Amino acid sequence: MKFLIIIPAHNEEKNILFTLKSLDQQKFQNFFCAVVNDGSTDKTQQIVEEFIGENNKFKILNLDLSQHEPGAKVVRTFNKGLESVDLKDFDIICKFDGDIIFPVDYLLKVKEVYETNLNSGMVSGLVRIKKSIHEKALAFDFKDEKHQWKFEDISSKNHVRGPIKSYRKECFLDMNGLRPVLGWDNIDVMLAKKNGWDIVTIKDLWVKHLRPTAYQYQQQKAEKLGQYLFNIGLSLPLTIISSGKSALKNKSISEFFSTMKSFLKQKGERNLSREEIQFIRKLRWKQMFTKK
């Protein structure tokens, strides 16, 4: 079993070396990693190139800076990495962020799930963020005796998070790849389920996320939520309920109206087929009144 790891990266000079070193130290070594440098203006390119040297497990692909477009940008950068390799040589496709530190047994444990559960389509560990400071001396220490790392509680522990995605190649092809829209990292899960694949998170396996997720910025949250609900194909009734639940959770009436305004102003075709939209709507109705 061979892993393809693609890391879209933009201005990651403070973090990318931690990510690459933690991958290079993995117990499971049958992988190839492509860093796709999306027009970084800092020292990202220099750091990656110096790290790679003559290490044939890694390569860098340097691109011109792409237009900033939440969701779409990272997927399009990832797709450039896909285009630079021959997928027939790989069994597992990973999209990792450039600000993650992996424990040495991360790929090994993920591989074991794919080997023992032949219906597993997506697999990951959990994501933790630092409570206060990031001690570089403890960067690769996962005992966490000082309890400096906490679960990044922005989604369920059953959700394969965007920074550490992995896909069985057959599942990835069944999904027709990743959709370049805001919400791609939820759409992929729903499409994997549509095609009958299992989603697996390894609860005792975790990574260090060195930067908070952008979706936590509150000023944009309602607007992005409206765009996301449109992108995943929700109907107006589903959107009203979803927006209401989110606003109730955050105790903000204004959030509800901002989300609905954003949803209603969305134009154009969704990046999903009619069949995919129907499945997602049925799935959301089923999940709507269940506790996550």
Side-chain angles (χ1 to χ4, degrees):
M1 182 170 283
K2 188 169 184 178
F3 282 51
L4 169 64
I5 300 170
I6 297 177
I7 303 177
H10 175 71
N11 289 351
E12 290 286 4
E13 66 177 7
K14 294 181 179 179
N15 304 308
I16 191 71
L17 193 56
F18 290 111
T19 302
L20 298 179
K21 283 184 176 180
S22 69
L23 289 173
D24 198 34
Q25 295 168 4
Q26 290 294 302
K27 292 180 179 179
F28 176 72
Q29 285 286 307
N30 195 18
F31 70 84
F32 179 75
C33 177
V35 178
V36 187
N37 174 33
D38 186 20
S40 295
T41 56
D42 63 1
K43 295 181 179 179
T44 296
Q45 179 178 343
Q46 176 185 339
I47 291 170
V48 174
E49 289 177 345
E50 288 178 355
F51 171 83
I52 293 175
E54 297 181 359
N55 189 336
N56 59 13
K57 285 186 178 295
F58 296 84
K59 78 170 182 179
I60 184 170
L61 180 65
N62 294 307
L63 308 178
D64 294 332
L65 180 62
S66 62
Q67 180 181 356
H68 178 67
E69 191 176 352
K73 177 183 172 73
V74 68
V75 171
R76 287 172 182 152
T77 303
F78 169 83
N79 286 340
K80 290 293 185 181
L82 274 186
E83 294 167 5
S84 72
V85 299
D86 190 342
L87 280 185
K88 72 177 178 59
D89 296 330
F90 301 95
D91 305 290
I92 306 299
I93 301 169
C94 303
K95 178 267 167 198
F96 291 160
D97 281 4
D99 59 354
I100 300 293
I101 303 178
F102 297 90
V104 294
D105 58 352
Y106 187 85
L107 294 182
L108 179 63
K109 289 189 173 181
V110 169
K111 178 185 76 77
E112 289 172 349
V113 172
Y114 280 118
E115 288 179 335
T116 56
N117 177 3
L118 298 183
N119 201 55
S120 55
M122 297 177 62
V123 181
S124 79
L126 301 182
V127 176
R128 292 188 187 181
I129 56 175
K130 57 186 179 294
K131 290 181 180 179
S132 53
I133 60 172
H134 165 46
E135 293 189 43
K136 292 184 178 180
L138 298 175
F140 304 105
D141 177 13
F142 280 79
K143 295 178 182 178
D144 195 24
E145 293 175 348
K146 295 185 178 181
H147 304 290
Q148 294 180 322
W149 297 86
K150 64 179 181 178
F151 175 63
E152 190 173 18
D153 190 17
I154 61 173
S155 63
S156 164
K157 288 185 177 181
N158 296 315
H159 180 67
V160 174
R161 288 283 314 283
I164 52 171
K165 294 283 189 179
S166 83
Y167 311 86
R168 191 184 296 274
K169 182 170 66 176
E170 291 79 6
C171 173
F172 188 83
L173 295 175
D174 282 347
M175 292 159 36
N176 195 25
L178 306 183
R179 309 304 165 91
V181 294
L182 180 70
W184 68 270
D185 53 338
N186 285 306
I187 291 173
D188 62 348
V189 172
M190 292 184 282
L191 294 183
K193 290 179 178 179
K194 176 184 181 297
N195 286 285
W197 294 99
D198 294 338
I199 313 300
V200 181
T201 53
I202 308 170
K203 304 299 191 297
D204 61 350
L205 181 66
W206 58 280
V207 305
K208 297 178 179 180
H209 194 187
L210 300 179
R211 292 198 298 178
T213 299
Y215 194 69
Q216 288 182 323
Y217 295 117
Q218 295 300 316
Q219 290 182 344
Q220 300 179 6
K221 185 175 180 179
E223 181 180 351
K224 298 303 181 188
L225 179 59
Q227 185 179 345
Y228 161 71
L229 296 176
F230 176 85
N231 288 343
I232 66 174
L234 295 198
S235 62
L236 182 59
L238 271 171
T239 300
I240 292 172
I241 297 172
S242 296
S243 302
K245 288 183 70 175
S246 178
L248 184 62
K249 178 182 178 181
N250 295 315
K251 300 178 181 180
S252 173
I253 296 177
S254 63
E255 180 187 311
F256 171 78
F257 290 106
S258 295
T259 301
M260 291 304 304
K261 181 180 178 181
S262 174
F263 174 83
L264 293 171
K265 77 176 184 180
Q266 300 301 316
K267 306 292 182 183
E269 294 290 327
R270 291 179 167 105
N271 205 314
L272 293 165
S273 68
R274 179 176 298 181
E275 182 184 2
E276 289 168 341
I277 289 174
Q278 289 175 344
F279 175 84
I280 289 173
R281 289 179 179 180
K282 288 179 181 179
L283 181 64
R284 292 287 296 206
W285 275 119
K286 183 178 178 180
Q287 297 174 337
M288 188 57 65
F289 298 103
T290 60
K291 187 176 181 180
K292 293 185 178 180

